[in-house]
Amino acid sequence: MTVNEILQYLNTIAPFSFAAADDNIGLLVGNGRTEVSGICCALDITNEVIAEAVKNGANLIISHHPVIFDPLKTVPAGSPVFNLIRAGISAICIHTNFDVSEGGVNDALLEMLEFKKKEVLEVTKPNGIGFGAVVDLPFEFTPVSLAEHCKTCLGIENIKYTRLDVEIKRVAVSCGSGLNDTTMKLARAKRCGAIITGDIKYHYWIEALNTGMILIDAGHYGTEQCAPHRIAALVTRFHNTVPVFVADCSVEPFFYV
C-alpha cells in the first residue's frame, strides 16, 4: 500500500474539496509512491511525534493540524519538516475537511459528549456540509452542570464557562477554535443557549455576558483530542495489514499550575 493510496482513501472520507479556502491539507511532505510500513496518527506533528514514529517503524504520519501552514522560507535543522525529510517520513494532513465531514472530528466530539446532532450550525457547502452542530439536550442544564458534563466526558483538567442564572436546553458544538462572529450570530439565531468550543477570545466572553449566551471553552486540544483516534480507526478499517497507532505523545502541549 502506497502513500497515494492512503491519500485517495482519505479523500473519500474527508473530501479535500470540503476544506476551508485558506487551509493546507493533503500530502505536505514526502513521496506519494512510497510503500507504507506503518502509520502514526497525531493531532499535531511535533518532533516528539516524529521520534515516536521512527521508534515504531512508521514512515507515514497522518495529522489533523498541518505541519506546514504558512509558506516556508527556510527549513532549519531540527524543525519538524527537516526531521520528517531526514527520517524519510511522509506527512498527510486532514484538517477543516475532516472537521466538517460525516463521522469526522466534530461528530466524534459529539459522541464523546453523548450528544446527537439536530442540524449543522454553519452550512458552507451546497450538500449541507459545514462547521459545528446544533444539539437539543435531553434535559435542561445549568451552566455549571453543562461545564461539568463536558469536563467529565472529555477527561480534561480545567474548563472555562460563563456563569449566568439560566437553564440550557439547546447548544451549539464546534470543535477547535470554533467561535467567530458568524457562529456567534448563528447560535443565537438557532436559539442555542450555549456554545461549546475552544480557544474563545476575550471579547466574546464580554459579548456573551451582555447577551445572555453561555460559553464553554473546553480547549482546542480538549475538543479535538478525538481526531487522531478517529483517523486511526478509519485507516485501520481501510487496510488492516499495516500497523496503525496513535502517538502516545500526542497530548496537550502545556500544563496547569
Side-chain angles (χ1 to χ4, degrees), residues 16 37 46 79 83-84 111 114 120 124 184 202 209 215 232 236:
F16 300 158
S37 60
T46 63
S79 68
N83 287 335
L84 285 168
E111 290 172 17
E114 300 175 352
V120 172
T124 57
M184 192 77 156
Y202 184 82
L209 285 173
L215 299 183
T236 300

Side-chain angles (χ1 to χ4, degrees), residues 131-151:
F131 293 100
V134 174
V135 174
D136 284 331
L137 301 175
F139 50 84
E140 290 184 337
F141 281 79
T142 64
V144 66
S145 65
L146 184 59
E148 290 284 1
H149 175 81
C150 293
K151 183 178 178 180

Side-chain angles (χ1 to χ4, degrees), residues 4-219:
N4 273 339
E5 287 176 303
I6 292 289
L7 192 66
Q8 290 165 10
Y9 168 68
L10 293 173
N11 191 30
T12 65
I13 62 171
F16 300 158
S17 60
F18 289 177
D22 61 347
D23 205 359
N24 192 29
I25 59 168
L27 179 60
L28 304 187
V29 177
N31 186 337
R33 296 188 297 274
T34 300
E35 287 289 330
V36 178
S37 60
I39 301 171
C40 174
C41 303
L43 185 60
D44 301 275
I45 298 180
T46 63
N47 286 330
E48 291 77 14
V49 168
I50 296 168
E52 190 172 336
V54 171
K55 179 181 177 181
N56 288 281
N59 66 347
L60 171 63
I61 298 176
I62 305 174
S63 71
H64 184 47
H65 295 146
V67 68
I68 301 172
F69 192 77
D70 296 318
L72 293 178
K73 294 184 178 180
T74 62
V75 182
S79 68
V81 173
F82 177 91
N83 287 335
L84 285 168
I85 295 170
R86 184 177 64 174
I89 296 176
S90 299
I92 293 175
C93 163
I94 50 174
H95 191 210
T96 51
N97 55 317
F98 196 40
D99 285 334
V100 303
S101 296
E102 195 70 31
V105 183
N106 209 71
D107 284 354
L109 173 59
L110 292 177
E111 290 172 17
M112 291 185 73
L113 293 172
E114 300 175 352
F115 292 162
K116 291 186 178 180
K117 178 168 59 180
K118 178 181 177 64
E119 61 179 293
V120 172
L121 177 63
E122 181 187 0
V123 175
T124 57
K125 299 294 179 181
N127 55 5
I129 292 294
F131 293 100
V134 174
V135 174
D136 284 331
L137 301 175
F139 50 84
E140 290 184 337
F141 281 79
T142 64
V144 66
S145 65
L146 184 59
E148 290 284 1
H149 175 81
C150 293
K151 183 178 178 180
T152 299
C153 290
L154 301 179
I156 55 180
E157 191 172 344
N158 287 285
I159 206 161
K160 293 187 286 188
Y161 71 99
T162 311
R163 186 162 61 184
L164 295 171
D165 186 17
V166 296
E167 293 185 332
I168 305 157
K169 183 64 176 174
R170 174 176 284 193
V171 301
V173 179
S174 190
C175 61
S177 300
L179 185 62
N180 54 41
D181 291 344
T182 299
T183 51
M184 192 77 156
K185 290 175 182 175
L186 284 169
R188 282 199 297 267
K190 294 177 184 288
R191 298 178 289 105
C192 296
I195 304 171
I196 301 168
T197 185
D199 292 345
I200 299 176
K201 293 183 177 179
Y202 184 82
H203 71 275
Y204 288 120
W205 292 102
I206 300 301
E207 182 180 341
L209 285 173
N210 290 333
T211 60
M213 175 68 77
I214 300 301
L215 299 183
I216 294 180
D217 189 336

